Amino acid sequence: MAVMKRLKIDNLGAYLTTGGGVAAAQLISFASIPLIARLSGPDVFGEYTYYFSLLTVLCVFCTLKLEYSVFNIEDKQVEILEKFFNRYLLISSSITAVGLLFIYGSNELSWWVTTLVFFLSLYSMCCFEFRVQKNIRFGNFIKNAKARVSRAAIFPILFLALYYFGYVSFTSIFASFAFANLLSDILFMRNTNVQSQEDNVVNKKSIQQLWPKVRRTVLYLTPAHFLNRYTGGAIVLLSGILSSDNAAQIAMYAIASKFLIAPANIITSATSDVIKREVLVNPIAALKNFKRISVFTCLIGIAISVVVVFFSGYLSSFFLGTEWLPVSDYAIALLPHFLAILLLSPLTHSYLVLGRQDVDFYWQVCNSVAISAGIFFSINGGFLFAVQVYSIISMVMMIISFCICYRLIKNSKAMTC
């Protein structure tokens, strides 16, 4: 009984709700994305993939990561921030979409339609993410879970409807994605903030009062997130630049990363969302709860590692064919990176809650330099060796980030929400 009491996890319902929503959304995506790729064809889906990658990077600059400022302001200021965010995002998304039209497009009507769809995708995706963080701020985890599942389900349904009427292009995929975000936002994520008050208006005075509290997020978190997205794809990007003979190896790595890191991200999303809320309310209690959760994540990590080491070769050959057997080597190489994400990364989302975005930025700079240097000096030993080096450096840097966050949380004070 004493052992069970020690392992009892506070807010277990919140963890299960968030984890269940992310897991369900991921399962729907695993089933729908191959279907969309097959129906649209490699050329169309490849074009969509390219522009979607561009979209995720542009989101950083269109939002300036203001959505993460909800953790550093008072309850009554959240509505002011949201109103300002919507107005700013409307302008920044419009300018970005029109800019892309002049860079990549022409004066043809189809490109104007594409620009409109790209704008809707950019705007809806950023709004969706703002609402996710706001719901975490107020503990509305069930709304996030419903919205994530809804978005994952509506996306392929809309695409199939357009496909049925003969509309198949990367623009139709983007349109499906945009309206999936918008519909899920409208259905499940609105009206979750505090009650509207007369003084919650966006004007010069309210912005001047808000700016000191969001300044650190804008100045530090924007470049930090850009660096984070760079390091996430650095092994593929740099290997493609430094060597032209790694296409097949990159494909093996991509498959291994997809099916190994995805389970870790499901668990991480479930824990990090709730931990951010707990750190905001009671940092010391959050650490105790994290330690209890770590017992279970360790067991999950051990089980998955055993499967990868002893059975990944058989599984990759059985499901993908014998030519994909090297996938197991890359899965094993990624184990240190996988375990670091699974066990340590949930706590490293606490920088912004603690108002230490500057520390996160400095760590991101060091992380990107270390990973880039490691890949640069190891790529001559082969792509697999570079992946092994990348995985180990990622683990070491994650340990450093974890220790920093642990120390910051331990020395912080509880806030009243």
Side-chain angles (χ1 to χ4, degrees):
M1 291 295 293
V3 174
M4 293 299 295
K5 187 175 181 180
R6 288 180 181 178
L7 294 178
K8 182 180 178 181
I9 299 174
D10 298 330
N11 296 321
L12 180 61
Y15 287 100
L16 294 177
T17 298
T18 306
V22 174
Q26 288 281 3
L27 288 174
I28 295 173
S29 296
F30 283 148
S32 62
I33 292 300
L35 175 64
I36 293 174
R38 183 172 181 176
L39 292 177
S40 61
D43 292 336
V44 170
F45 192 77
E47 196 172 10
Y48 162 75
T49 302
Y50 168 77
Y51 281 106
F52 186 80
S53 300
L54 186 62
L55 181 79
T56 58
V57 174
L58 291 174
C59 279
V60 175
F61 299 101
C62 283
T63 65
L64 299 179
K65 308 317 294 179
L66 284 169
E67 65 269 26
Y68 289 105
S69 297
V70 297
F71 300 101
N72 307 121
I73 60 180
E74 300 174 9
D75 288 3
K76 63 181 181 180
Q77 292 180 309
V78 172
E79 186 176 356
I80 298 175
L81 177 64
E82 185 172 9
K83 290 178 180 179
F84 173 78
F85 178 85
N86 287 332
R87 296 175 188 180
Y88 165 75
L89 180 61
L90 189 65
I91 297 172
S92 62
S93 299
S94 301
I95 294 174
T96 302
V98 172
L100 287 175
L101 173 69
F102 285 106
I103 295 173
Y104 293 101
S106 63
N107 291 325
E108 297 178 3
L109 178 62
S110 60
W111 270 103
W112 283 100
V113 174
T114 300
T115 302
L116 175 61
V117 170
F118 195 87
F119 159 75
L120 289 175
S121 299
L122 191 61
Y123 180 80
S124 63
M125 186 177 181
C126 294
C127 282
F128 189 95
E129 182 57 30
F130 184 95
R131 233 76 72 179
V132 166
Q133 300 305 322
K134 186 185 71 172
N135 286 340
I136 295 172
R137 169 71 166 81
F138 292 106
N140 296 310
F141 301 105
I142 186 66
K143 291 186 177 294
N144 281 350
K146 290 179 179 179
R148 282 165 170 158
V149 174
S150 172
R151 179 176 63 172
I154 293 174
F155 180 25
I157 292 173
L158 292 177
F159 171 79
L160 289 174
L162 293 174
Y163 176 81
Y164 177 80
F165 289 104
Y167 297 103
V168 181
S169 65
F170 82 95
T171 303
S172 68
I173 305 177
F174 260 117
S176 303
F177 174 76
F179 283 102
N181 277 285
L182 288 172
L183 289 174
S184 300
D185 188 1
I186 293 171
L187 290 173
F188 298 109
M189 304 185 77
R190 298 299 176 101
N191 301 321
T192 61
N193 55 322
V194 293
Q195 291 294 319
S196 179
Q197 299 178 18
E198 293 182 359
D199 58 344
N200 286 348
V201 295
V202 179
N203 52 37
K204 184 177 180 181
K205 181 180 179 181
S206 62
I207 294 175
Q208 287 176 340
Q209 293 175 342
L210 197 61
W211 171 245
K213 298 181 180 180
V214 305
R215 180 179 62 87
R216 294 173 67 84
T217 299
V218 173
L219 296 180
Y220 291 111
L221 210 59
T222 300
H225 271 247
F226 176 78
L227 290 173
N228 178 263
R229 296 188 182 189
Y230 158 74
T231 53
I235 183 66
V236 174
L237 177 63
L238 293 181
S239 64
I241 295 174
L242 298 174
S243 177
S244 59
D245 301 324
N246 291 327
Q249 291 91 334
I250 290 174
M252 302 290 176
Y253 163 81
I255 293 295
S257 179
K258 176 70 176 178
F259 290 99
L260 183 62
I261 304 303
N265 286 334
I266 291 173
I267 299 171
T268 299
S269 296
T271 53
S272 63
D273 282 5
V274 184
I275 285 174
K276 280 192 290 188
R277 167 71 181 178
E278 291 182 340
V279 170
L280 185 68
V281 177
N282 192 331
I284 302 303
L287 281 181
K288 292 180 180 179
N289 212 30
F290 174 77
K291 292 175 182 178
R292 295 167 186 162
I293 295 170
S294 297
V295 174
F296 298 96
T297 53
C298 281
L299 294 175
I300 294 172
I302 292 171
I304 293 178
S305 297
V306 169
V307 172
V308 169
V309 172
F310 294 102
F311 302 104
S312 60
Y314 169 77
L315 292 173
S316 59
S317 297
F318 180 79
F319 288 104
L320 300 172
T322 54
E323 68 272 19
W324 291 92
L325 183 62
V327 168
S328 62
D329 296 328
Y330 289 97
I332 293 172
L334 284 169
L335 277 178
H337 179 52
F338 158 76
L339 292 173
I341 292 176
L342 181 68
L343 303 178
L344 305 178
S345 69
L347 207 66
T348 63
H349 291 254
S350 303
Y351 288 111
L352 63 99
V353 180
L354 299 170
R356 297 312 308 267
Q357 297 90 334
D358 54 337
V359 179
D360 183 27
F361 169 68
Y362 299 140
W363 178 83
Q364 292 287 357
V365 171
C366 295
N367 184 48
S368 61
V369 171
I371 287 177
S372 299
I375 295 172
F376 181 81
F377 288 108
S378 63
I379 195 67
N380 288 334
F383 184 71
L384 178 60
F385 178 63
V387 172
Q388 292 170 339
V389 172
Y390 162 78
S391 183
I392 292 173
I393 292 176
S394 296
M395 179 187 67
V396 172
M397 295 303 297
M398 187 68 72
I399 292 174
I400 294 173
S401 181
F402 174 85
C403 293
I404 293 172
C405 284
Y406 187 93
R407 184 72 176 177
L408 290 174
I409 295 172
K410 202 168 185 180
N411 294 335
S412 62
K413 298 179 180 179
M415 295 177 62
T416 302
C417 296

